[in-house]
Amino acid sequence: MKILKLISGVSIAVLILLVSILSFLGKMEASTVKVLMLVGTILWFVATPFWMKEE
């Protein structure tokens, strides 16, 4: 389950937060930001439920 936590954390930290900061600073185009955020959101929604239901 550690790999799922890692995937979830990376998708939030890199593909959502870092991309949004780079977009705000004007370092990335809007189309690239949209694609990377979509990928990060999908990865988070796929990985997170599996490790969250672990007790």
Side-chain angles (χ1 to χ4, degrees):
M1 293 297 162
K2 287 184 180 183
I3 190 73
L4 293 174
K5 287 182 181 181
L6 179 67
I7 291 171
S8 179
V10 168
S11 70
I12 288 293
V14 175
L15 290 175
I16 295 177
L17 293 176
L18 184 62
V19 169
S20 63
I21 292 169
L22 290 175
S23 171
F24 178 74
L25 295 175
K27 305 286 183 181
M28 297 181 88
E29 293 183 19
S31 60
T32 307
V33 171
K34 289 177 186 178
V35 169
L36 290 175
M37 285 193 167
L38 179 64
V39 169
T41 302
I42 291 171
L43 280 174
W44 188 83
F45 273 110
V46 167
T48 303
F50 292 109
W51 67 263
M52 284 192 70
K53 67 180 176 183
E54 176 183 299
E55 292 185 33

